[in-house]
């Protein structure tokens, strides 16, 4: 469970009540219908939001969820191979930037990465070149094996039980070592 900062809570509540929110830079993010509202609320529960130059909505700092993630990494330790599952690419990129700033070597796999880059990232992780593997649940949930890790951290959960289970099974396969639950 992650407690939102006061700033994040205000933005979340504004979207929940008014189907819109005013960003830090005075842009308006609207939810045209309740389906879009649900998606925006999920985004707002993870970080503040901003409107990019392309008029799309993106997550931005601060993010209490990523603060909690970085704290969790301290308890895992640098030498423990870990898989980090994140549902949305924007939040994964923010997590990757935080790890880079903390000099944390890691692999990052997300939606539009080609198969060769994904395979290379898996190989570096499996061979021990890096101890942290960040992946979106959809991109990394099928077709890869990450048996080196016994730790899986879910920054975001997947609503689809099938996709969630697929991510769980990436490191719980034949050849896996002990697991930390």
């Amino acid at each position: 469970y992650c407690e939102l900062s006061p700033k994040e809570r205000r933005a979340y509540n504004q979207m929940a009540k008014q189907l819109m929110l005013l960003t830090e830079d005075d842009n308006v993010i609207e939810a045209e219908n309740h389906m879009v509202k649900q998606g925006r609320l999920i985004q707002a529960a993870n970080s503040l939001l901003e409107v990019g130059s392309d008029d799309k909505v993106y997550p931005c700092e601060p993010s209490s969820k990523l603060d909690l993630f970085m704290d969790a990494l301290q308890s895992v330790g640098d030498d423990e191979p870990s898989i980090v599952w994140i549902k949305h690419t924007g939040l994964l990129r923010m997590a990757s930037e935080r790890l880079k700033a903390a000099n944390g070597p890691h692999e990052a796999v997300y939606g539009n990465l080609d198969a060769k880059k994904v395979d290379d990232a898996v190989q570096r992780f499996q061979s021990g070149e890096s101890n942290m593997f960040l992946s979106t649940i959809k991109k990394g949930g099928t077709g890869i094996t990450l048996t080196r890790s016994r730790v899986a951290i879910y920054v975001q959960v997947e609503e689809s039980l099938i996709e969630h289970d697929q991510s769980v099974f990436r490191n719980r396969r034949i050849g896996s070592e002990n697991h930390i639950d």
Side-chain angles (χ1 to χ4, degrees):
Y1 179 75
C2 178
E3 188 69 36
L4 297 176
S5 70
K7 189 184 280 190
E8 291 170 305
R9 172 66 59 198
R10 277 191 302 278
Y12 183 92
N13 288 340
Q14 191 179 26
M15 177 57 75
K17 290 176 186 169
Q18 301 170 5
L19 294 176
M20 52 129 340
L21 66 88
L22 186 64
T23 65
E24 297 267 308
D25 54 358
D26 295 327
N27 283 310
V28 175
I29 298 174
E30 294 182 280
E32 303 81 35
N33 57 54
H34 288 287
M35 192 70 128
V36 174
K37 176 186 174 183
Q38 181 180 358
R40 294 288 182 242
L41 286 172
I42 290 169
Q43 288 177 310
N46 293 299
S47 71
L48 286 182
L49 301 174
E50 67 183 1
V51 179
S53 59
D54 57 0
D55 291 329
K56 292 183 181 177
V57 177
Y58 295 97
C60 64
E61 296 289 355
S63 170
S64 295
K65 188 160 275 200
L66 290 183
D67 292 344
L68 189 61
F69 161 65
M70 295 300 284
D71 289 347
L73 290 182
Q74 299 301 317
S75 65
V76 171
D78 294 337
D79 295 335
E80 185 68 51
S82 304
I83 304 169
V84 179
W85 295 106
I86 301 175
K87 182 176 178 177
H88 295 105
T89 301
L91 197 64
L92 181 141
R93 288 184 174 146
M94 286 173 56
S96 180
E97 288 301 317
R98 283 196 182 199
L99 287 170
K100 285 178 191 172
N103 293 319
H106 63 281
E107 305 303 323
V109 172
Y110 47 88
N112 62 356
L113 222 55
D114 66 51
K116 170 83 168 101
K117 289 182 180 177
V118 172
D119 290 344
D120 290 347
V122 169
Q123 178 58 37
R124 285 189 298 272
F125 179 75
Q126 288 290 91
S127 70
E129 289 179 52
S130 61
N131 281 334
M132 180 87 43
F133 192 92
L134 276 68
S135 180
T136 57
I137 294 170
K138 196 169 282 276
K139 184 68 171 189
T142 56
I144 63 174
T145 300
L146 301 168
T147 54
R148 184 168 166 260
S149 174
R150 53 190 206 121
V151 174
I153 299 170
Y154 284 84
V155 175
Q156 293 175 301
V157 291
E158 174 57 58
E159 295 86 16
S160 164
L161 185 57
I162 293 169
E163 288 186 14
H164 173 77
D165 286 351
Q166 285 292 324
S167 67
V168 169
F169 298 142
R170 294 308 94 206
N171 69 321
R172 291 189 177 245
R173 302 183 87 163
I174 295 170
S176 296
E177 301 300 324
N178 295 328
H179 301 283
I180 297 174
D181 290 321

